[in-house]
């Protein structure tokens, strides 16, 4: 649908039909001219893999009241997508990022998020693939995060620096695949599990 520009669009707000419950895999794949901000109908419960992949002009999405599942690849290659909005009993948002309702888990960072990303003070877990292919981020600050899960930062090709706090203790597998420009992982000196020396992360006992 490379020529699709809107769906019942009003003032650059994309409004989907009210009876939709599922946005299927690759439904809007490569809708390059689909512009603006998507408002999801309240009946939508799931956005499947690659649903909006390559929608290069998409800016933001307002989550629906019943939405409980968003696949990690749903917004892949949406390089101008910067903002998750709204909340429901499953999700919450803050500064464009998508969290669990209680803010304990960071689920997704928009693919178009730029430069420095500061994670909410209540967040303890960075979920798997949370930053998948976020190619514009350079620095992520995780002062209160305790756990980074598997594959969390895959494909962050311009990520240069990660800052960890004193309570961080768990680092998943393959968490930095494709982060070829990562130069520093710094952890606060109060951390009893890890230490960093010249931007290199070690266990606290340096083994």
């Amino acid at each position: 649908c490379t020529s699709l520009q809107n769906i019942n669009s009003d003032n650059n707000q994309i409004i989907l039909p009210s009876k939709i419950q599922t946005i299927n895999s690759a439904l809007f794949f490569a809708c390059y001219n689909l512009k603006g901000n998507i408002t999801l109908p309240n009946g939508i419960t799931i956005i499947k893999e690659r649903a909006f992949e390559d929608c290069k002009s998409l800016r933001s999405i307002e989550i629906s009241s019943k939405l409980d599942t968003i696949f990690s690849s749903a917004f892949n290659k949406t390089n101008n997508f910067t903002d998750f909005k709204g909340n429901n009993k499953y999700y919450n948002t803050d500064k464009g990022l998508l969290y669990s309702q209680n803010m304990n888990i960071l689920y997704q960072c928009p693919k178009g998020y730029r430069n420095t990303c500061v994670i909410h003070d209540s967040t303890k877990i960075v979920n798997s693939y949370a930053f998948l292919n976020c190619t514009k981020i350079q620095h992520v600050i995780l002062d209160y995060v305790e756990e980074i899960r598997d594959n969390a930062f895959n494909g962050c090709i311009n990520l240069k620096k990660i800052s960890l706090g004193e309570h961080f203790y768990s680092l998943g597998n393959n968490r930095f695949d494709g982060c070829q420009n990562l130069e520093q992982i710094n952890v606060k000196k109060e951390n009893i599990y890890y230490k960093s020396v010249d931007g290199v992360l070690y266990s606290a006992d340096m083994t």
Side-chain angles (χ1 to χ4, degrees), residues 164-168 187-195:
L164 301 172
E166 62 179 294
H167 300 295
F168 181 77
V187 62
K188 289 187 176 180
K189 62 182 181 180
E190 296 85 0
N191 191 296
I192 63 173
Y193 305 101
Y194 292 97
K195 70 184 301 182

Side-chain angles (χ1 to χ4, degrees), residues 93-95 97 99 102-103 118-124 141 143-145:
T93 60
D94 180 68
K95 297 180 181 177
L97 304 177
Y99 295 90
N102 63 2
M103 309 292 285
V118 181
I119 306 307
H120 195 274
D121 292 356
S122 299
T123 303
K124 306 301 181 188
I141 299 173
D143 282 346
Y144 297 92
V145 167

Side-chain angles (χ1 to χ4, degrees), residues 1-45:
C1 58
T2 56
S3 62
L4 180 63
Q5 295 187 16
N6 58 62
I7 308 167
N8 292 339
S9 181
D10 181 21
N11 295 324
N12 222 31
Q13 298 289 319
I14 301 163
I15 303 172
L16 299 175
S18 59
K19 294 183 180 181
I20 291 178
Q21 295 182 340
T22 299
I23 298 180
N24 279 321
S25 304
L27 181 63
F28 296 107
F29 175 75
C31 293
Y32 301 138
N33 295 315
L34 188 60
K35 299 177 181 179
N37 312 302
I38 293 178
T39 299
L40 295 179
N42 286 330
I44 287 182
T45 61

Side-chain angles (χ1 to χ4, degrees), residues 6 12 14 28 55 57 66-67 69 80 96 101 107 114 118 120 123 129 142 150 153 192 200-201:
N6 58 62
N12 222 31
I14 301 163
F28 296 107
C55 292
S57 298
K66 296 181 180 180
L67 183 67
T69 304
N80 289 301
Q101 216 293 321
Y107 282 125
R114 294 175 178 270
V118 181
H120 195 274
T123 303
Y129 302 103
L142 305 157
D150 298 350
F153 291 92
I192 63 173
V200 179
L201 188 68

Side-chain angles (χ1 to χ4, degrees), residues 7 41 52 62 80 97 113 158-159 180:
I7 308 167
F52 291 95
E62 181 90 25
N80 289 301
L97 304 177
Y113 215 93
N158 290 306
L159 181 63
Q180 62 261 37

Side-chain angles (χ1 to χ4, degrees), residues 156-157 159-162 176 179-185:
C156 295
I157 59 175
L159 181 63
K160 295 181 179 180
K161 183 179 180 180
I162 291 179
F176 302 120
C179 299
Q180 62 261 37
N181 289 303
L182 184 59
E183 298 171 349
Q184 298 181 54
I185 303 177

